[in-house]
Amino acid sequence: MLDLGYYFVGKVDRGSGTVFTVDDGYETHVYEHPHGVSKRDIRVAVAVAFIDDQDSSLDYRVTGRYPHYSIEEVK
């Protein structure tokens, strides 16, 4: 039988709505979708938060569609 306690990663409040994920190549980050924020605005925020922090000598882009995004190196 699977023990979920070993695989627990976090909690979301019951009334929080939906969540989205960002896979940066090392970890998968889970965020709550803020009320009233568009999917386009979320995608822009993901790009700013994850790509601006990456190595500036390499080009990265946000791939995937809501609710699952990935950060990938442009080849």
Side-chain angles (χ1 to χ4, degrees):
M1 182 166 160
L2 178 64
D3 182 355
L4 292 179
Y6 290 111
Y7 300 96
F8 176 76
V9 294
K11 295 181 184 180
V12 176
D13 289 336
R14 193 170 233 198
S16 67
T18 59
V19 296
F20 63 94
T21 63
V22 179
D23 181 351
D24 67 3
Y26 302 103
E27 297 178 316
T28 299
H29 306 266
V30 180
Y31 296 94
E32 181 179 348
H33 184 143
H35 179 72
V37 176
S38 73
K39 294 173 186 174
R40 181 185 180 282
D41 290 340
I42 288 174
R43 189 179 187 93
V44 169
V46 166
V48 169
F50 284 88
I51 295 175
D52 285 355
D53 288 344
Q54 298 287 347
D55 182 350
S56 62
S57 66
L58 301 172
D59 290 326
Y60 290 89
R61 65 181 175 159
V62 178
T63 62
R65 296 179 62 149
Y66 183 87
H68 305 291
Y69 300 109
S70 295
I71 307 302
E72 295 182 2
E73 185 179 346
V74 177
K75 296 179 182 183

